[in-house]
Amino acid sequence: MIEVENLKKYFSTGILRKRHIKAVNGVSFQIERGETLGLVGESGCGKTTIGRSLLRLIEPTAGKIIFDGIDLLHLKKKELRRLRPRMQMIFQDPDASLNPRMKIGDSIAEPLKLQGGLNKVEIKEKVSELIETVGLNPEHVNRYPYQLSGGQNQRVVLARVLAVNPDFIIADEPTSSLDVSVQAQILNLMNHLKREFDLTLLFISHDLEVVRHMSDRIAVMYRGKIVEIGSVNEIFEDAKHPYTNTLISPASSLEDQLIFEDMKDAWDSGCVFYPRCPFNTVICSKKEPEMVEIGKGHWVLCDRVT
Amino acid sequence: MSLLTITHLKVHFPTQDGMVKAIDTIDLEIANSERLGLIGETGCGKTVLGMSIIRLLQPSTKIEGEIWYKGKDLLKLSEGEMRKIRGKEIAMILQNPTTSLNPVLKVGDQIAEAIQLHQGLDKRAAREKAVEMLESVKIPSPDKRANEYPHEFSGGMKERAMIAMGLACNPSLIIADEPTKGLDVTIKMQIVKLLKEVSRRKSMLFITHDLGVATQICDNIAVMYAGELVEYAKTEDVFKNPLHPYTQGFLNSLPNMGLKPIRGMSPSLIDLPSGCRFHPRCDHASAKCTIEHPPMVEIEKGHSVRCFLYT
């Protein structure tokens, strides 16, 4: 369904001394139809940048993105626009993703109107149908986002996304601003909708437990690179990359994180993880490791495992 | 010996839509060198409880009850007397370090400010102490870092700076309000470890919605729902033997416990449900639960619960 090859996105900063921040630095992965790929990593590792690049909400620096056989990066704006309904994104903060001055019903109707083809009555019907699908009450149609809770607003966002019948949804930390009991409601709803509408999902989160629950396969990201990708079992039972292990059992975490932060800009070669890696060698600081397939579909970016 | 005793505390905020009963009614004790976790979801009143202890709520707030600290009722102290306690005796580590630190002051100066005020040190000595504090929270090259502004710190480091500030005057009670919110897992664990270390031989009220973090630090846990406590127990008992249906539901909704949600939503604090406040969401609710408000009852030593299932 989605094929990403060597995707790169650099941001440049600084006025006098231009520097490049390599937010995404050569990432490749595929997502099969009907599959959920979980993307985990700490803040600032480039997860969100990947999500946005996939929809071309930001323009990638280099790489290839194939969506259902179509090369997205070579599409013109107009063609892209026609394709957009098939790919939708759910953002982190539901309260910020809804127009505060629009009633819930109008917010959900908006994409339907833009898409065209439906008259007023049909739109109204479709809206109430969507409202029910995501577990809201009919009376919510006339409310404003500030009158609803965070969890309810995230349901509205889901309804809005489903309105255009997408095939592929990118969910960027959809529950990170919600309480645990509400988070459970939303995640279960997403799983249910995924089955009902036969969706393909890229689920971005920093919470490994949540990703475990939602995904078929997991990609672990660190500083702009995917360091390990594999099935949920492979990642949780048989993680090979030292960073994945740190994420899984943070209790055994690394003390040197702070020292690492102090020297953040000091190195530019070798493995992305070597300053924090408990097993690093001299070679790691010089030679960039290559992605190696160690089991079917289980890839690791570490020279130590081969 | 208890260091802090809260009795019949009620905190109400008058608003346009009606009275918000943020706390209605809480009785709670924190013993010397006890680390108590206060668990609850957004809007249940946990931050308000912390704020009422150090009296940082706006003047229009209606507060009833007593908060006894070392033989004094904090609610009856004058603002001047309170100022001597706030920061020195009782320190609060606020949530969200990015907005709690002053962006235009150097981190070292912000820490030194409290030291100067409470310990009467001169500027130079206070600064030295500030650097020392930064070192104690394990910030590398503290001397250099003290001269930097908050935006030059990462999220985890800012949280460390907040902790350093809270500890600067060697308080007897620390109130930590969601100190690990918004931090990455690996950094979260470091902050937890640090808090555990620095709170040794001190009392701490640890406010959080993250049970995992609370278990690592706290001796006892109080579970709060809609402005009151619903369960109080030793940390391990809360996990092994949660009694209140809300505590059980809360645990079950965690991703590693099966992600089973509690139905419905937390009630509005303006219009609380009659009887047991949890009854509209409870699977065990009976007719009695809808009318009568259950009292907090000690089921076994050190384990209390507010639920008719056990009485």
Side-chain angles (χ1 to χ4, degrees):
Chain A
M1 183 92 187
I2 281 269
E3 232 184 294
V4 175
E5 228 182 278
N6 207 15
L7 185 72
K8 288 182 185 173
K9 176 66 194 175
Y10 297 170
F11 294 103
S12 50
T13 58
I15 302 164
L16 296 173
R17 266 193 315 150
K18 282 248 183 223
R19 282 192 308 141
H20 285 299
I21 293 176
K22 296 172 181 168
V24 177
N25 195 8
V27 159
S28 308
F29 61 87
Q30 284 128 29
I31 311 176
E32 303 290 329
R33 191 176 290 276
E35 183 187 50
T36 301
L37 177 70
L39 187 60
V40 274
E42 291 169 89
S43 37
C45 73
K47 318 185 281 290
T48 299
T49 307
I50 288 195
R52 296 188 173 211
S53 306
L54 285 189
L55 295 191
R56 271 183 72 187
L57 294 176
I58 47 178
E59 292 296 331
T61 311
K64 216 172 180 184
I65 303 167
I66 313 278
F67 172 75
D68 209 9
I70 309 162
D71 186 347
L72 286 188
L73 295 184
H74 287 104
L75 285 186
K76 295 203 184 72
K77 274 257 158 73
K78 225 173 168 183
E79 297 167 314
L80 187 65
R81 196 158 229 197
R82 235 177 294 141
L83 207 64
R84 279 263 165 78
R86 298 184 56 196
M87 313 180 291
Q88 289 288 313
M89 187 152 179
I90 300 169
F91 296 95
Q92 265 184 44
D93 186 351
D95 304 331
S97 358
L98 292 168
N99 186 337
R101 301 184 58 177
M102 247 175 156
K103 286 182 183 162
I104 298 306
D106 296 336
S107 266
I108 301 173
E110 199 186 21
L112 292 168
K113 278 184 201 148
L114 281 173
Q115 211 179 16
L118 292 175
N119 64 32
K120 268 192 178 160
V121 184
E122 285 168 332
I123 287 183
K124 213 170 168 191
E125 268 169 23
K126 179 90 195 197
V127 168
S128 35
E129 190 190 310
L130 285 164
I131 288 251
E132 206 189 305
T133 314
V134 296
L136 290 167
N137 297 328
E139 75 251 24
H140 285 131
V141 174
N142 288 320
R143 302 254 180 94
Y144 288 95
Y146 74 89
Q147 294 171 307
L148 302 188
S149 68
Q152 286 173 323
N153 276 334
Q154 199 59 290
R155 285 174 196 265
V156 175
V157 171
L158 276 170
R160 208 171 125 94
V161 160
L162 291 173
V164 291
N165 282 324
D167 303 319
F168 176 56
I169 294 181
I170 299 173
D172 187 3
E173 306 252 15
T175 58
S176 65
S177 63
L178 304 176
D179 277 322
V180 276
S181 70
V182 182
Q183 164 174 285
Q185 292 173 359
I186 296 292
L187 293 179
N188 285 333
L189 174 66
M190 283 182 69
N191 264 336
H192 167 76
L193 294 174
K194 190 198 146 196
R195 276 192 301 271
E196 194 175 320
F197 292 89
D198 197 18
L199 301 167
T200 306
L201 221 64
L202 176 65
F203 190 90
I204 303 174
S205 175
H206 68 275
D207 189 331
L208 209 62
E209 280 301 330
V210 168
V211 167
R212 178 185 205 169
H213 199 85
M214 296 298 289
S215 318
D216 304 308
R217 284 191 304 136
I218 295 178
V220 180
M221 248 191 117
Y222 186 75
R223 293 198 82 220
K225 294 240 185 222
I226 288 182
V227 295
E228 186 159 5
I229 187 166
S231 69
V232 171
N233 259 340
E234 280 159 353
I235 295 290
F236 275 89
E237 311 299 335
D238 193 24
K240 288 288 191 281
H241 199 281
Y243 178 62
T244 314
N245 280 315
T246 321
L247 279 186
I248 291 173
S249 47
S252 66
S253 184
L254 317 149
E255 265 300 311
D256 52 350
Q257 164 77 23
L258 282 168
I259 297 151
F260 155 77
E261 279 182 29
D262 248 23
M263 56 171 286
K264 216 171 205 167
D265 302 317
W267 91 102
D268 212 10
S269 62
C271 172
V272 282
F273 190 60
Y274 99 89
R276 284 173 76 185
C277 184
F279 312 104
N280 61 2
T281 59
V282 186
I283 303 161
C284 300
S285 70
K286 298 205 174 89
K287 187 184 151 286
E288 223 176 289
E290 304 241 335
M291 214 49 175
V292 195
E293 188 167 22
I294 54 161
K296 204 184 168 305
H298 187 181
W299 295 76
V300 183
L301 185 75
C302 180
D303 280 341
R304 208 172 50 92
V305 296
T306 49
Chain B
M1 239 290 280
S2 78
L3 178 74
L4 187 87
T5 310
I6 300 174
T7 44
H8 302 303
L9 182 71
K10 282 187 190 193
V11 179
H12 293 183
F13 299 102
T15 64
Q16 276 182 347
D17 304 320
M19 198 61 96
V20 175
K21 302 183 185 86
I23 293 179
D24 198 349
T25 319
I26 281 193
D27 293 272
L28 191 64
E29 264 182 42
I30 301 176
N32 273 320
S33 2
E34 179 190 348
R35 289 176 279 203
L36 174 68
L38 185 65
I39 304 276
E41 294 181 89
T42 316
C44 74
K46 35 186 209 311
T47 299
V48 174
L49 181 66
M51 292 294 216
S52 33
I53 296 173
I54 54 166
R55 290 214 355 226
L56 279 182
L57 296 169
Q58 64 245 52
S60 66
T61 315
K62 297 207 159 39
I63 307 177
E64 276 174 43
E66 289 159 5
I67 300 178
W68 289 94
Y69 172 81
K70 288 189 178 167
K72 280 177 259 182
D73 182 357
L74 295 182
L75 295 178
K76 297 218 168 59
L77 295 183
S78 70
E79 187 44 44
E81 289 168 313
M82 193 60 214
R83 207 172 284 156
K84 286 192 192 120
I85 289 181
R86 194 187 290 135
K88 191 177 181 195
E89 295 271 337
I90 306 176
M92 188 150 181
I93 299 169
L94 294 168
Q95 57 180 314
N96 205 348
T98 314
T99 50
S100 303
L101 290 167
N102 187 333
V104 296
L105 281 183
K106 288 175 183 164
V107 174
D109 293 346
Q110 295 189 50
I111 301 173
E113 191 186 3
I115 300 171
Q116 236 176 311
L117 268 173
H118 286 299
Q119 306 191 335
L121 296 178
D122 62 31
K123 213 172 168 188
R124 185 115 165 246
R127 217 203 100 92
E128 267 167 31
K129 182 86 200 283
V131 173
E132 222 173 88
M133 288 319 296
L134 283 176
E135 196 175 359
S136 75
V137 292
K138 305 203 172 74
I139 287 198
S141 39
D143 211 19
K144 194 181 110 223
R145 285 292 187 174
N147 268 327
E148 290 184 352
Y149 292 93
H151 76 266
E152 295 171 273
F153 278 44
S154 70
M157 282 167 120
K158 274 185 229 169
E159 194 55 63
R160 280 166 198 267
M162 291 294 292
I163 295 173
M165 201 180 288
L167 295 173
C169 298
N170 198 17
S172 330
L173 174 65
I174 305 168
I175 302 171
D177 189 4
E178 303 256 15
T180 57
K181 200 177 186 179
L183 297 177
D184 284 320
V185 260
T186 51
I187 299 171
K188 200 194 269 182
M189 283 307 152
Q190 291 171 18
I191 296 290
V192 166
K193 215 172 142 195
L194 176 68
L195 275 171
K196 219 168 153 177
E197 245 175 74
V198 297
S199 64
R200 209 171 285 148
R201 287 190 300 276
K202 287 185 193 303
S203 300
M204 177 152 78
L205 178 65
F206 189 82
I207 303 172
T208 183
H209 67 269
D210 190 332
L211 256 177
V213 169
T215 34
Q216 304 245 354
I217 295 186
C218 305
D219 309 313
N220 294 304
I221 284 184
V223 182
M224 201 169 167
Y225 182 77
E228 63 183 1
L229 297 185
V230 293
E231 186 156 0
Y232 179 95
K234 282 202 202 75
T235 303
E236 53 190 60
D237 290 341
V238 171
F239 272 88
K240 280 197 204 128
N241 185 24
L243 295 178
H244 199 280
Y246 174 68
T247 316
Q248 292 166 358
F250 191 92
L251 286 170
N252 286 334
S253 63
L254 295 172
N256 51 356
M257 306 277 251
L259 213 62
K260 290 185 278 295
I262 308 174
R263 64 190 157 90
M265 285 189 307
S266 304
S268 141
L269 294 174
I270 294 177
D271 188 20
L272 289 168
S274 63
C276 171
R277 288 175 196 167
F278 188 62
H279 87 258
R281 303 174 74 185
C282 184
D283 292 331
H284 308 284
S286 64
K288 191 181 181 189
C289 304
T290 61
I291 308 160
E292 259 182 78
H293 186 235
M296 195 79 168
V297 179
E298 192 163 18
I299 303 295
E300 49 193 276
K301 204 180 169 319
H303 196 160
S304 318
V305 64
R306 189 187 293 282
C307 181
F308 286 130
L309 286 178
Y310 306 96
T311 48

